[in-house]
Amino acid sequence: MAKASAARTDTQHGGASLLLLIGGIAVVAFVVALLVVRSGSDDSSNVSTGASVNTVAPASAGPCGEGAPDPSYTMTTESDPNPPRSEGATFHLTVRHNGKAVTGAKVCVAANMPGMLHAGISSVATEASAGRYDTDLKFSMEGSWAGTVTVAEPGQPVVSIPLKVEVAPSAN
């Protein structure tokens, strides 16, 4: 009788192990599915702007709020150094609304690496001159970064402008 009891206990433990294994596989499958959904192709140049939804992270609520795309806003971007490097770069953003320089706005930059699980970066730019906003960004690694420049102009709805950055290897 002792043997039958021991065999039954082993079978019960085996069943619990099988359930744990199946649960673990389900969790891994779920995480992989999330990564596939979050990843996207990125064929960007060093720094560019555009309206491609496939390569741009969604605007996130932050110090500037959450913006919606508005084609009447345009932006040119320069970086120093060019191309930007992972140890950091200063970005000069020139923002225009219907061709006129945007002044007195709160301008925020948020970016991440699509498909990567590390934290993204964000910064609030300062107005250096009429329509030009500067910010320093330090990237955690080289590669393709996608994000949003959010513009909160007084008296206007908050808007988002897509941003793509190709970060070069460290200069070291």
Side-chain angles (χ1 to χ4, degrees), residues 44-125:
S44 63
S45 59
N46 287 337
V47 177
S48 65
T49 61
S52 174
V53 176
N54 293 335
T55 59
V56 178
S60 60
C64 291
E66 187 170 335
D70 182 340
S72 67
Y73 282 82
T74 59
M75 178 181 67
T76 57
T77 308
E78 297 175 20
S79 72
D80 182 22
N82 187 13
R85 304 230 177 244
S86 58
E87 60 266 18
T90 299
F91 282 82
H92 310 287
L93 313 169
T94 302
V95 182
R96 297 186 177 285
H97 181 208
N98 291 322
K100 296 179 183 173
V102 172
T103 60
K106 191 168 200 177
V107 176
C108 301
V109 179
N112 63 26
M113 292 188 84
M116 298 298 273
L117 296 178
H118 58 76
I121 58 173
S122 64
S123 175
V124 177

Side-chain angles (χ1 to χ4, degrees), residues 31-32 34-36 38 112-120 140-141:
V31 170
V32 169
L34 283 176
L35 290 175
V36 169
R38 289 192 64 195
N112 63 26
M113 292 188 84
M116 298 298 273
L117 296 178
H118 58 76
S140 58
M141 64 188 299

